[in-house]
Amino acid sequence: HRLALANSKRKARWDAYCCAREAGVVRFPKSPDGAAQPLSVDVTFQPPDRRRRDLDGMISQGKAYFDGIADATGVDDSLWQWAF
């Protein structure tokens, strides 16, 4: 049901926000030119079973978590740069 899914995503976003804050992440101050200071984050995916998954599917599954980290840093995740 869509409400159950929305509640699950809301909780994932809040959990990621809280974990980021507990890890010492604070809202990033803007530099004089308006750019945010760089932050490096390592992401480890642990699928619940042995089925094969592709990278873009795993990234899309983590969207709510990435939004929570973006909330904690104050940096919009559309400005993030991904390195694989």
Side-chain angles (χ1 to χ4, degrees):
H1 192 267
R2 68 178 185 267
L3 292 179
L5 180 61
N7 288 335
S8 176
K9 288 181 179 181
R10 187 178 304 112
K11 183 180 181 328
R13 187 173 184 158
W14 177 249
D15 289 346
Y17 174 85
C18 291
C19 287
R21 295 300 297 242
E22 286 177 17
V25 172
V26 295
R27 287 195 162 270
F28 278 85
K30 302 286 185 189
S31 63
D33 62 356
Q37 301 298 318
L39 171 69
S40 178
V41 176
D42 292 326
V43 178
T44 303
F45 294 102
Q46 294 182 318
D49 54 34
R50 297 179 60 104
R51 289 183 293 156
R52 291 176 48 145
R53 289 167 169 80
D54 57 357
L55 183 60
D56 60 336
M58 289 187 289
I59 290 172
S60 67
Q61 290 290 314
K63 172 109 174 74
Y65 296 102
F66 301 141
D67 288 342
I69 295 170
D71 292 342
T73 62
V75 178
D76 185 3
D77 60 345
S78 68
L79 302 174
W80 291 4
Q81 295 178 359
W82 293 87
F84 300 100

